[in-house]
Amino acid sequence: MTQITLTNTVPYEASGQRLDQAAAELFPQYSRARLQLWIKSGELTINGKPGKTNGKVVGGEVLDLQAELQDQGDWQAEAIPLDIVYEDEHILVVNKAAGMVVHPAAGNREGTLLNALLYHCPSLSEVPRAGIVHRLDKDTTGLMVVAKTLEAQSNLVEQLQARTVSRQYQAITLGRVISGGTVNLPIGRDSKHRQKMAVSKGADGKEAITHYEVLERFGFFTHLRIKLETGRTHQIRVHMTHQRFPLVGDPLYGTGKGLRTTQIHESVLAVAQQFPRQALHAAQLGLAHPHTLEICQWQAPLPADMQQLLDVLREYDHT
């Protein structure tokens, strides 16, 4: 639990703004939703008196914030090894392993990235979601940025919303992709299978844009570089399946039909059929450092299982 004591004066040019809007500009390290709660609880006062979130300011008022920042969950810290690519006092970048769930949920209260982060950096208990601002699927490997402070978290969320964070992936798909392209199709919950997402042009469909380019072609497989413009759940898996190029090993969206042909070398067939997860890796991450504003970029090499699959494809299935 952290005690917060802050004071600031509303500038006259903010005259006419709502109290919560003015507070968000004066205390940008905290979300507007959090500030609204503090206004309602009386922990954020205006000229020493309680205010209303939608009350108007005229300029010159003094805002006093005296609040206790509660730990953000009852999650347990666990000594789980992390592959940390970069760390300073504001952020850390991890290379997530396959099989690791990012955030605790029903049936996955332990062994998650969040549990590991709390052990590595206990102060993350004071940051919402332990600083996690974006996710990777359980069996997708690769780079994730984590905010170590509220200020960093607010900044990173703003960058993600503004789509200025660069996220590049590598994937191995079934099927021979002839050329690169862009998929601009909305994604929503699959009406027939609630665990799946699907291309949806209905009211629940949200904008989703995926760019892809060919890195290497094989007989019945393709190695792709993929760049996300948006970040919808299962976006790459859904869009590539819609293009009829599902990811190798994808247990939810992969059809496996391309593996039943007798024209695939038996060595390739064995490795592809036994691949234990979707062949997807978050290989590159770029963003503006939330404190220095310096443009930063990190890379993570392909994990051993994807590299092995590519080696086999190059040896037996390159055409």
Side-chain angles (χ1 to χ4, degrees), residues 176-210:
R176 185 177 172 87
V177 182
I178 301 304
S179 63
T182 296
V183 185
N184 186 349
L185 292 169
I187 290 176
R189 185 69 58 181
D190 191 313
S191 60
K192 297 180 181 179
H193 191 319
R194 300 306 295 172
Q195 291 182 318
K196 297 177 67 173
M197 307 300 287
V199 168
S200 173
K201 297 182 180 179
D204 68 326
K206 296 182 179 179
E207 183 185 28
I209 303 173
T210 303

Side-chain angles (χ1 to χ4, degrees), residues 39-308:
I39 292 171
K40 292 176 182 178
S41 68
E43 294 170 284
L44 176 56
T45 60
I46 177 168
N47 289 333
K49 298 179 181 180
K52 295 183 178 180
T53 56
N54 62 353
K56 303 296 184 179
V57 298
V58 297
E61 298 97 333
V62 176
L63 302 189
D64 285 307
L65 175 59
Q66 296 188 21
E68 288 183 344
L69 190 62
Q70 303 287 338
D71 288 354
Q72 294 301 306
D74 59 354
W75 309 298
Q76 299 300 311
E78 294 182 61
I80 302 170
L82 288 173
D83 181 2
I84 297 176
V85 177
Y86 173 84
E87 183 174 15
D88 60 26
E89 60 185 305
H90 306 282
I91 62 172
L92 63 87
V93 177
V94 298
N95 181 16
K96 190 185 82 66
M100 176 177 275
V101 174
V102 169
H103 195 276
N108 287 299
R109 297 292 297 174
E110 301 175 347
T112 72
L113 175 63
L114 186 146
N115 299 118
L117 289 169
L118 289 176
Y119 183 87
H120 174 74
C121 184
S123 63
L124 284 173
S125 64
E126 300 172 359
V127 183
R129 296 184 178 274
I132 294 170
V133 294
H134 64 122
R135 299 192 183 194
L136 292 176
D137 295 336
K138 175 183 177 182
D139 288 321
T140 298
T141 57
L143 297 172
M144 292 181 61
V145 62
V146 177
K148 295 178 70 175
T149 67
L150 286 168
E151 294 87 347
Q153 184 197 46
S154 296
N155 181 276
L156 291 174
V157 169
E158 289 176 1
Q159 290 190 55
L160 286 163
Q161 292 174 341
R163 301 182 183 178
T164 57
V165 175
S166 172
R167 290 170 290 172
Q168 290 189 17
Y169 295 71
Q170 289 192 35
I172 304 172
T173 68
L174 298 176
R176 185 177 172 87
V177 182
I178 301 304
S179 63
T182 296
V183 185
N184 186 349
L185 292 169
I187 290 176
R189 185 69 58 181
D190 191 313
S191 60
K192 297 180 181 179
H193 191 319
R194 300 306 295 172
Q195 291 182 318
K196 297 177 67 173
M197 307 300 287
V199 168
S200 173
K201 297 182 180 179
D204 68 326
K206 296 182 179 179
E207 183 185 28
I209 303 173
T210 303
H211 307 282
Y212 62 94
E213 62 177 295
V214 175
L215 292 176
E216 201 166 359
R217 296 184 190 88
F218 306 96
F220 297 93
F221 302 85
T222 307
H223 181 198
L224 296 177
R225 176 184 291 119
I226 299 174
K227 183 175 181 180
L228 290 183
E229 192 168 321
T230 55
R232 306 305 176 197
T233 300
H234 299 175
Q235 179 173 323
I236 292 173
R237 299 163 67 186
V238 171
H239 272 173
M240 296 317 300
T241 298
H242 188 271
Q243 297 295 97
R244 299 187 179 181
F245 299 113
L247 274 57
V248 170
D250 193 330
L252 197 57
Y253 299 97
T255 64
K257 293 180 180 178
L259 294 178
R260 290 200 285 269
T261 174
T262 57
Q263 298 180 59
I264 298 179
H265 191 282
E266 60 182 11
S267 296
V268 174
L269 190 63
V271 172
Q273 285 180 329
Q274 296 169 16
F275 203 81
R277 64 184 184 90
Q278 63 266 11
L280 182 62
H281 175 66
Q284 184 173 304
L285 176 67
L287 51 85
H289 190 283
H291 182 70
T292 66
L293 303 183
E294 178 185 0
I295 300 301
C296 302
Q297 184 171 287
W298 300 274
Q299 296 182 344
L302 280 178
D305 57 357
M306 287 183 65
Q307 189 60 60
Q308 179 189 12

